[in-house]
Amino acid sequence: EPVPGSAEDLERFYKKCGCSEEDALTAKELDWGWKFLGKEDGAALAHVITTNKKCITLQLYVNELFPEAGIQVAKALAVNKVLKTIDLQQAQIGPEGGKYIAEALKKHPALMNLKLHYNHLGPEGTAFIAAALKKNKKLTNLNLGDNGIMKEGVQALADMLTVNTCLMRLDLSKNAGLTSGTGSPETTAIITKAAEAHEKLRQGGAKQNGHNKA
């Protein structure tokens, strides 16, 4: 087994992705969905995310990165300055991965779209991300579908929505404790009320910005 992040490891990784080193480190868009990437690819992914200064879209959907590689990707994301979209659907990064994604969200100056559908975040991982989004001023589109967020996760997101003014789309479909017949009218009311408050806040902020520009 090559040492993670070594020249030999990177060569193996580029081959797996069907991509030249030049493309991996300079392309504006990288579509590496369904590439059978796994925890052994975390170091190479981190290398690309920290080295490529032009990439604005990184598709990593349906690659079982698990927490090991998920954390490496998230730590790299925290120092990246240019990515606008990252798709980690079905990466299965778990609550631990969610914690590091949250840390990246506190710092990232450009990320607007984050897809985390089916990542086993649970209420804990969801709460980390919600807390980060109380400060984040950039992310507009977040998919947290099918993460078993439960009532605690819903409450954390509701608290965030009453202070965040940037998020325009939050997908919570297929979540245990909220949808699929597992939720309660009370839980639905918590998020509905917060979403309405968020929209008022957002509209108010937009008007304020309009006045500032005038």
Side-chain angles (χ1 to χ4, degrees):
E1 287 287 294
V3 176
S6 64
E8 193 188 350
D9 182 50
L10 291 171
E11 191 181 338
R12 172 201 64 79
F13 173 78
Y14 299 138
K15 201 170 177 181
K16 196 172 180 180
C17 292
C19 179
S20 68
E21 180 181 29
E22 188 187 359
D23 278 350
L25 302 182
T26 59
K28 272 190 159 180
E29 287 188 27
L30 292 168
D31 186 347
W32 290 339
W34 292 96
K35 294 288 184 190
F36 303 102
L37 303 179
K39 41 189 165 187
E40 69 282 3
D41 298 305
L45 279 169
H47 174 73
V48 171
I49 293 167
T50 50
T51 311
N52 185 326
K53 303 283 191 277
K54 292 179 183 170
C55 187
I56 55 172
T57 303
L58 177 58
Q59 309 279 12
L60 292 172
Y61 52 89
V62 199
N63 287 298
E64 296 188 335
L65 302 179
F66 296 112
E68 295 91 332
I71 288 168
Q72 289 173 295
V73 164
K75 282 182 171 176
L77 194 58
V79 295
N80 174 287
K81 303 271 191 291
V82 289
L83 269 171
K84 287 186 178 172
T85 298
I86 185 162
D87 186 343
L88 288 164
Q89 291 187 76
Q90 295 188 41
Q92 302 187 41
I93 64 171
E96 313 94 290
K99 184 179 183 179
Y100 285 92
I101 288 284
E103 288 305 308
L105 284 172
K106 289 177 190 172
K107 301 170 186 163
H108 205 287
L111 195 70
M112 294 172 77
N113 304 295
L114 175 60
K115 295 181 182 176
L116 289 171
H117 182 92
Y118 194 59
N119 264 289
H120 305 305
L121 294 174
E124 190 190 353
T126 304
F128 287 131
I129 288 166
L133 290 179
K134 285 182 174 179
K135 300 184 177 76
N136 179 291
K137 300 275 188 289
K138 209 68 185 163
L139 199 75
T140 56
N141 182 8
L142 175 63
N143 184 333
L144 291 177
D146 207 359
N147 272 295
I149 67 175
M150 308 306 287
K151 191 178 174 183
E152 301 88 337
V154 171
Q155 188 62 63
L157 290 168
D159 293 344
M160 174 274 292
L161 286 172
T162 56
V163 293
N164 174 294
T165 54
C166 295
L167 211 54
M168 292 166 77
R169 186 165 184 275
L170 175 61
D171 186 337
L172 298 177
S173 57
K174 295 185 185 170
N175 260 300
L178 178 64
T179 59
S180 322
T182 61
S184 68
E186 184 199 356
T187 311
T188 305
I190 290 170
I191 199 76
T192 306
K193 197 174 159 192
E196 285 165 4
H198 170 75
E199 198 48 35
K200 273 188 194 152
L201 198 64
R202 223 172 57 74
Q203 298 297 346
K207 279 189 193 128
Q208 197 64 45
N209 288 340
H211 290 317
N212 293 346
K213 283 175 190 157

